[in-house]
Amino acid sequence: MSTPLRFAHLYTDADGVTQFGQADLPLTPRVFAPPASPFSVSALEPAERCGFLHLPAGWVGERHPSPMRMWIFVLTGEMEFEAGDGEKHRIAPGSALLLEDTHGSGHLSRVLGNSPTTLAAVQLPEG
């Protein structure tokens, strides 16, 4: 068993306050793309839709819950997310964030720096 992949996870606690936690994705060495050699692979989870988000430099969002359960993957630019409890996380190219705060206090988000940000979004099933 390989070391799990660790990503930031934004969720709503029992009191309705958005908080950051960790999403650990276990990896298992296996043959995934024969005849290539085995490498570490996570479980393949169901997804409903995917798309891209392009936010202009200087964009700042009002406090809001996530519109759906989703993974976002940063392709270009940098963003900051602030949970309802005040904790902040920056995400940069090559990073991902699991958004599951679909109710409660929601979060703030903003583009950092002088460049736009492009994200890939993957909608997850509810549950």
Side-chain angles (χ1 to χ4, degrees):
M1 183 74 85
S2 301
T3 302
L5 294 174
R6 184 164 282 165
F7 297 100
H9 175 208
L10 193 56
Y11 67 96
T12 306
D13 69 13
D15 294 325
V17 178
T18 301
Q19 296 188 2
F20 282 100
Q22 292 181 1
D24 287 339
L25 300 178
L27 298 172
T28 304
R30 65 179 217 193
V31 174
F32 184 79
S37 300
F39 52 88
S40 297
V41 179
S42 74
L44 296 178
E45 301 292 335
E48 293 191 357
R49 298 183 292 175
C50 63
F52 297 90
L53 310 173
H54 187 76
L55 301 110
W59 182 88
V60 178
E62 301 286 329
R63 182 171 295 280
H64 63 282
S66 180
M68 65 195 76
R69 284 184 68 233
M70 67 178 155
W71 279 102
I72 57 170
F73 302 92
V74 184
L75 303 176
T76 64
E78 189 174 11
M79 290 191 70
E80 179 180 76
F81 285 77
E82 181 178 337
D85 66 359
E87 185 177 352
K88 296 177 183 179
H89 275 266
R90 286 181 162 208
I91 57 173
S95 62
L97 174 63
L98 176 59
L99 292 164
E100 293 188 302
D101 66 324
T102 58
H103 64 282
S105 65
H107 63 270
L108 296 170
S109 50
R110 65 185 62 81
V111 172
L112 300 175
N114 297 321
S115 300
T117 297
T118 302
L119 308 169
V122 178
Q123 183 178 354
L124 302 172
E126 290 304 316

